[in-house]
């Protein structure tokens, strides 16, 4: 089962990078319910071993491309973010260390795997993966655009993905005038 989960996580991360046109320095937020991956209801069956498998798979793909991973904690930590200090330039760092049942197994795996982990209340990510209905939208830049990856589950967990795009502002005329420039 873990090999299949690892393969699904790698494919999801690779496809997200490709379809969202992610570049070095971008940030990807990941919310992950290991309970959902294993077929249980979110928040009821934390699985640190599965979290490590999923984290390593996604982190490996992103790191290779110079993309930062931001791991979303569960609601017990108000969906705080664990990321590398390097990705948190200018952000307010908070003092918390996630645990499997207080922050989530995925965020805990991130905290223990990053070189220099920090916790943040907020981040503005360029894309994201929601594994198991973790509601990552609050950590995406405006405007979020859903992506179909061709893979819709990791284990038993529903997989949703998003990228962001710049806002269109200034009304219809400004958009049309811009195309004439």
């Amino acid at each position: 089962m873990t090999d299949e989960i690892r393969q699904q996580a790698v494919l999801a991360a690779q496809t997200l990078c490709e379809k969202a046109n992610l570049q070095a320095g971008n940030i990807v937020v990941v919310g992950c319910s290991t309970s959902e991956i294993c077929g249980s209801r979110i928040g009821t069956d934390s699985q640190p071993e599965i979290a490590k498998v999923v984290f390593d798979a996604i982190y490996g793909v992103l790191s290779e491309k110079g993309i930062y991973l931001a791991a979303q904690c569960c609601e017990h930590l108000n969906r705080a973010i664990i990321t590398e200090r390097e990705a948190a330039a200018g952000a307010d760092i908070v003092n918390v260390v996630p645990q499997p049942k207080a922050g989530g197994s995925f965020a805990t795996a991130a905290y223990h795997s990053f070189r220099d982990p920090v916790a943040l209340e907020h981040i503005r990510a360029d894309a994201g993966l929601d594994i198991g209905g973790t509601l990552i939208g609050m950590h995406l830049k405006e405007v979020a655009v859903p992506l179909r990856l061709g893979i819709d589950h990791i284990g038993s967990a529903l997989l949703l993905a998003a990228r962001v795009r710049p806002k269109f502002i200034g009304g219809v005329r400004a958009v049309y005038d811009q195309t004439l420039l």
Side-chain angles (χ1 to χ4, degrees):
M1 177 173 158
T2 57
D3 284 340
E4 182 179 354
I5 288 169
R6 179 181 296 108
Q7 291 171 355
Q8 291 168 336
V10 165
L11 180 59
Q14 289 172 334
T15 307
L16 177 70
C17 289
E18 185 179 305
K19 288 195 171 196
N21 195 30
L22 296 175
Q23 307 296 316
N26 285 156
I27 298 171
V28 171
V29 63
V30 176
C32 177
S33 169
T34 58
S35 300
E36 291 279 338
I37 289 172
C38 294
S40 298
R41 188 173 49 86
I42 193 170
T44 62
D45 188 21
S46 195
Q47 298 284 328
E49 303 81 20
I50 296 297
K52 183 71 170 136
V53 167
V54 175
F55 174 82
D56 287 346
I58 295 171
Y59 187 57
V61 170
L62 298 180
S63 294
E64 188 176 283
K65 298 175 181 303
I67 298 167
Y68 295 108
L69 172 62
Q72 179 180 273
C73 295
C74 72
E75 76 277 6
H76 296 106
L77 295 182
N78 299 319
R79 305 206 188 286
I81 292 293
I82 305 299
T83 194
E84 293 280 8
R85 183 178 303 275
E86 192 175 290
D92 291 332
I93 295 171
V94 296
N95 189 18
V96 69
V97 176
Q99 303 298 315
K101 293 188 182 257
S105 291
F106 186 81
T108 301
Y111 186 87
H112 292 295
S113 298
F114 287 149
R115 291 179 314 277
D116 189 12
V118 294
L120 311 171
E121 284 189 278
H122 306 285
I123 202 160
R124 294 178 41 83
D126 302 289
L129 294 171
D130 183 324
I131 306 167
T134 59
L135 303 175
I136 62 166
M138 66 188 284
H139 293 299
L140 292 170
K141 293 176 184 173
E142 297 174 0
V143 171
V145 178
L147 285 177
R148 292 192 185 270
L149 300 180
I151 176 174
D152 61 4
H153 281 79
I154 294 181
S156 294
L158 182 63
L159 173 65
L160 298 174
R163 66 171 177 83
V164 298
R165 67 154 174 80
K167 290 182 185 182
F168 294 126
I169 60 171
V172 175
R173 181 165 172 78
V175 172
Y176 287 124
D177 286 348
Q178 202 172 29
T179 62
L180 299 175
L181 297 177

